[in-house]
Amino acid sequence: MARSKEFEENVVLEKAMKLFWEQGYEKTSMNDLVEHMGIHRRSIYDTFTDKHTLFLKVMDRFGERINGRWAAGIEQSRTAKQALQFIFDFIINGEEDVPPGCMFVNSAVELAIRDEDIDEIATKAFAKSEKMLAEIVTWGQQNGEFTQQYEAKELAEYLQNALTGLRVMVRTSVPKEKLQRIAELNLRILET
């Protein structure tokens, strides 16, 4: 008789996500995963096939998490500027009980040059973020908040670059006050 799973897949994926997010793919061993996820090595292989497949599932889970949080924050914003401020604040201040920064950025830096799967996931995530930023900029241009000197797509690319830099910097000891100044300058540039 086959044994039933003695764990909730989403719960262990969340644990694996936090570990990979904190340590990166290469530094995270199968022993680390067994210990952190609280399941047997055999269960990891039976459920997720291998470390790489587990990592890809974790990346998907991270994308769902971030997209959901960003969509909720943007939806609650009354103006385009508030929506962008929410995104900058979210990146700078992070969330409780998760590592700072962005798992997509971390993974792209660590692996994308030699792992086609990670490159594709990160590239798609960045494109989705850029599309969302372009929609916010268009919203701001239509209601007179943001400059129309540049196309929304160009400003979205600029913002994506700034946000990616902030995602890296939040993993360092750079003071949050400096990161807030950078965010504020980016918003002021849009207004000119």
Side-chain angles (χ1 to χ4, degrees):
M1 226 166 96
R3 289 182 8 165
S4 64
K5 283 186 190 176
E6 297 176 8
F7 61 89
E8 170 58 46
E9 190 171 320
N10 289 329
V11 172
V12 297
L13 269 177
E14 191 77 17
K15 290 178 181 180
M17 179 182 68
K18 288 178 183 177
L19 185 63
F20 280 127
W21 191 349
E22 179 73 33
Q23 296 186 170
Y25 179 80
E26 296 292 339
K27 190 171 185 291
T28 302
S29 69
M30 283 305 289
N31 286 339
D32 293 336
L33 289 165
V34 166
E35 183 178 321
H36 200 77
M37 293 168 74
I39 61 175
H40 299 290
R41 181 183 299 261
R42 182 82 252 149
S43 294
I44 293 174
Y45 287 118
D46 287 347
T47 305
F48 303 106
T49 310
D50 56 29
K51 179 181 164 183
H52 189 261
T53 304
L54 170 61
F55 189 70
L56 296 177
K57 285 186 180 281
V58 161
M59 293 287 285
D60 288 341
R61 183 155 184 86
F62 177 81
E64 292 167 6
R65 175 191 187 105
I66 294 303
N67 291 334
R69 299 231 178 4
W70 282 25
I74 292 165
E75 189 175 306
Q76 292 176 4
S77 300
R78 291 186 308 262
T79 65
K81 184 176 179 181
Q82 282 181 346
L84 288 180
Q85 186 67 60
F86 163 78
I87 293 169
F88 277 106
D89 289 345
F90 184 89
I91 287 171
I92 293 168
N93 298 315
E95 300 177 79
E96 274 188 42
D97 300 326
V98 296
C102 172
M103 195 168 173
F104 288 137
V105 172
N106 300 350
S107 300
V109 170
E110 180 185 10
L111 300 168
I113 198 163
R114 65 181 188 278
D115 186 320
E116 289 179 17
D117 294 328
I118 299 305
D119 180 56
E120 181 179 348
I121 289 170
T123 302
K124 283 182 180 177
F126 297 150
K128 186 172 188 167
S129 175
E130 242 175 66
K131 182 179 182 294
M132 176 208 50
L133 291 168
E135 290 169 1
I136 294 170
V137 170
T138 299
W139 172 22
Q141 287 175 328
Q142 289 172 346
N143 68 18
E145 290 179 83
F146 299 148
T147 182
Q148 293 190 24
Q149 183 177 356
Y150 303 99
E151 291 182 25
K153 182 182 184 320
E154 292 174 300
L155 290 171
E157 291 169 348
Y158 163 79
L159 287 169
Q160 175 70 11
N161 186 56
L163 291 168
T164 300
L166 284 173
R167 289 174 182 142
V168 172
M169 292 176 74
V170 297
R171 290 185 62 90
T172 70
S173 61
V174 171
K176 285 190 180 193
E177 296 78 22
K178 180 176 182 174
L179 302 178
Q180 286 292 348
R181 283 195 309 272
I182 293 167
E184 288 166 14
L185 179 59
N186 279 278
L187 291 172
R188 284 198 314 267
I189 287 171
L190 290 179
E191 294 171 353
T192 57

